[in-house]
Amino acid sequence: MLSLTITERLARARSDLRLGLPVAITGERTVLVAAVEALGPDRLEQMRALGPLVLAITPRRAETLKARAYDGDVARIAVGTAPLSWLTAAADPAGDLASPMKGPFETLRGGDAAAHRVGVALAKTAQLLPAIVAVEAASCEGLTTLPAAAALDALAREPLLAPVVSARLPMAASEAGRVHIFRPEDDTAEHYAIEIGRPDRDAPVLARLHSACFTGDVLGSLKCDCGPQLRAALAEMGAQGAGVLLYLNQEGRGIGLANKMRAYALQDQGFDTVEANHRLGFEDDERDFRIGAGILREMGFGAVRLLTNNPAKIRMMETHGVKVVERVPLKVGQTAQNAGYLATKALKSGHLL
Ligand SMILES: Nc1nc2c(ncn2[C@@H]2O[C@H](COP(=O)(O)OP(=O)(O)OP(=O)(O)O)[C@@H](O)[C@H]2O)c(=O)[nH]1
Ligand SMILES: [Zn+2]
């Protein structure tokens, strides 16, 4: 028989959660977990028939709901006989203002929260709302199984990426362009490196770590500065004759496009970019910058002149083996509509103005 690696199990588990299927987390006991966002009413009742249901959310979401988180990075709430609409309202902040949650919530303490922790972390990496419903089960036939401890370990590990292919791409910014594709072994999103010219591997390269922004890069959104930053970075590399731009598919600072649009809807209710992420249950920035550092190292770049206004990116590169010899400011694309967004990033996330 083939035995599956933990990485393969995690990849399957992510798909299962997105399909609305429970995943079995094994340890001292077996706990089935399913993503609230993807769960249908029938499946919820099937799970309820197995035993008392528990809702697990992040401390960020718990704070908004005024529920206590006793397990550090996860909060567990008894579900009782509550219907799916109650779970959805707890998971999704869209209706927080229109129908404030009443509570009080029966928050659980003691016992083992490892399965709940794995479930919430998995939901995040599946780019779903970080809220899962859990129930102990005697059997888990037909379901993807994940040993809790090994899963937590693997989720924290640096993602391994393999180069897949590269090809020449003449661009407006430079005719000497080349696109490289990198594929993570855990079947999460592929990332791209755009190499301009033939940068010397022995000298610091002009580099930009760009995080995907569908709304800014493609649609010309006025809510952020991503599109102009992308084009200005490529233009600067073209003008200097060499550079490398990583296009990292970490949309919405790692929460995915659907969650970013949820954040935008909250921003229309008056919350800023950081508050919106927190209400959804995410940290302000969920990106894993080890991916960017890993690609640069893989391409032979050990030192960079980094185009950024974000000191956290500089720290992350330095921590993960890429020396930042210079920060090159990248200030373009200010609009009336993104002034508040940029001010919040400066105030709350430490961006340099
Ligand atoms: N969650 C969330 N993501 C956003 C929002 N606005 C833009 N983004 C995302 O933020 C990311 C922008 O990242 P970067 O361009 O690397 O910007 P940065 O981290 O501010 O750093 P520098 O531009 O290098 O100074 C993209 O993934 C966007 O999709 C928002 O309001 N909420
Ligand atoms: Zn953007």
Side-chain angles (χ1 to χ4, degrees):
M1 254 316 267
L2 282 179
S3 63
L4 298 180
T5 66
I6 188 67
T7 306
E8 290 161 344
R9 286 175 192 276
L10 282 170
R12 280 197 175 178
R14 265 189 283 271
S15 313
D16 291 354
L17 287 190
R18 290 188 64 92
L19 286 169
L21 276 174
V23 170
I25 315 292
T26 59
E28 267 171 47
R29 287 156 306 159
T30 296
V31 180
L32 307 192
V33 303
V36 172
E37 175 181 352
L39 199 60
D42 296 345
R43 189 127 289 142
L44 176 66
E45 293 318 316
Q46 287 169 2
M47 288 179 74
R48 204 193 307 267
L50 299 174
L53 292 177
V54 173
L55 168 70
I57 54 177
T58 65
R60 289 288 186 197
R61 182 68 188 138
E63 204 179 304
T64 301
L65 297 177
K66 305 210 173 354
R68 300 285 296 273
Y70 290 110
D71 302 306
D73 52 356
V74 67
R76 289 174 295 153
I77 297 169
V79 174
T81 57
L84 186 56
S85 56
W86 180 91
L87 287 165
T88 304
D92 187 345
D96 281 359
L97 292 193
S99 49
M101 295 282 293
K102 291 284 181 285
F105 295 97
E106 192 197 327
T107 316
L108 307 176
R109 60 200 305 181
D112 187 4
H116 308 82
R117 188 168 287 123
V118 172
V120 169
L122 257 182
K124 271 192 185 182
T125 65
Q127 303 201 319
L128 297 166
L129 285 168
I132 55 115
V133 60
V135 66
E136 277 187 40
S139 132
C140 51
E141 217 187 302
L143 299 179
T144 300
T145 59
L146 277 178
L152 285 172
D153 248 30
L155 283 166
R157 220 178 286 146
E158 175 166 352
L160 286 181
L161 291 113
V164 179
V165 62
S166 83
R168 199 177 62 83
L169 183 76
M171 292 174 292
S174 165
E175 291 198 11
R178 194 164 193 90
V179 174
H180 304 253
I181 307 297
F182 289 87
R183 185 173 295 164
E185 68 160 358
D186 61 2
D187 196 39
T188 50
E190 292 177 354
H191 304 283
Y192 321 132
I194 294 91
E195 189 176 359
I196 307 276
R198 287 280 149 154
D200 178 1
R201 266 49 176 180
D202 296 321
V205 62
L206 183 65
R208 166 84 183 146
L209 300 170
H210 182 88
S211 298
C213 178
F214 170 70
T215 47
D217 300 343
V218 179
L219 302 181
S221 162
L222 301 176
K223 272 178 73 78
C224 62
D225 54 353
C226 303
Q229 283 189 324
L230 172 62
R231 278 170 276 284
L234 288 173
E236 188 55 30
M237 291 170 192
Q240 296 195 16
V244 61
L245 181 139
L246 303 191
Y247 193 94
L248 302 167
N249 276 307
Q250 302 174 325
E251 173 70 58
R253 296 196 295 272
I255 67 177
L257 187 58
N259 285 321
K260 185 174 96 171
M261 290 303 104
R262 291 182 168 121
Y264 275 11
L266 294 175
Q267 288 169 31
D268 281 341
Q269 295 182 1
F271 299 104
D272 69 32
T273 181
V274 170
E275 291 163 345
N277 260 39
H278 290 176
R279 293 188 79 86
L280 285 161
F282 294 105
E283 299 304 319
D284 340 354
D285 196 338
E286 294 275 356
R287 288 175 288 184
D288 185 348
F289 280 112
R290 290 177 302 184
I291 293 171
I295 294 176
L296 287 173
R297 289 196 317 265
E298 166 78 33
M299 293 179 76
F301 298 115
V304 296
R305 294 162 52 226
L306 193 63
L307 280 154
T308 189
N309 308 317
N310 182 355
K313 281 188 187 171
I314 299 176
R315 283 196 299 275
M316 289 298 177
M317 289 307 104
E318 295 270 347
T319 311
H320 299 293
V322 176
K323 198 165 162 40
V324 180
V325 300
E326 182 190 350
R327 177 183 82 88
V328 183
L330 187 57
K331 292 212 181 76
V332 285
Q334 276 93 342
T335 66
Q337 288 90 336
N338 69 23
Y341 166 74
L342 295 175
T344 301
K345 292 217 294 188
L347 190 71
K348 295 189 172 177
S349 311
H351 283 63
L352 303 161
L353 281 176

